[in-house]
Amino acid sequence: MVDSAEEAAALARTAVEERLAACAQVTGPVTSVYRWQEALETSQEWQVLFKTTEAAYPALEARLTAGHPYDTPEIIATPVVRGSERYLAWVAAEVTAG
């Protein structure tokens, strides 16, 4: 999550250009409600979903952490338990980091 569409697009573009992800999808704005530094916060944010490989995940996480405007960015991995063979082959072919 980031606090602007421009920041989300920049993170998405960089990851795909650097072949850390085959695709990145930006959605938002979404309303996030959370506790930060002992205060209840509500903010609009944009989410970026990156399609990558397990091998490339460490490099993608490092790149996102380095380029992210937040002190503690939400970077999580969700395993793919199933997917079309052709799509997963395309992701693997597009991602060269890792």
Side-chain angles (χ1 to χ4, degrees):
M1 299 285 222
V2 291
D3 59 8
S4 76
E6 294 77 21
E7 287 174 342
L11 288 173
R13 191 172 26 261
T14 298
V16 174
E17 284 175 352
E18 294 180 7
R19 299 186 74 102
L20 299 171
C23 174
Q25 297 171 317
V26 176
T27 57
V30 298
T31 300
S32 294
V33 179
Y34 54 95
R35 187 174 304 282
W36 181 249
Q37 298 179 343
E38 303 302 318
L40 188 61
E41 302 284 342
T42 302
S43 62
Q44 280 196 332
E45 297 182 296
W46 281 255
Q47 183 178 44
V48 187
L49 177 63
F50 297 92
K51 312 298 177 67
T52 193
T53 62
E54 186 173 355
Y57 176 83
L60 176 60
E61 180 180 329
R63 183 66 180 95
L64 294 174
T65 300
H68 203 285
Y70 291 2
D71 292 336
T72 307
E74 176 189 346
I75 301 173
I76 58 173
T78 304
V80 174
V81 295
R82 287 195 159 182
S84 76
E85 187 176 319
R86 289 181 63 194
Y87 182 79
L88 296 178
W90 172 77
V91 170
E94 290 299 313
V95 175
T96 59

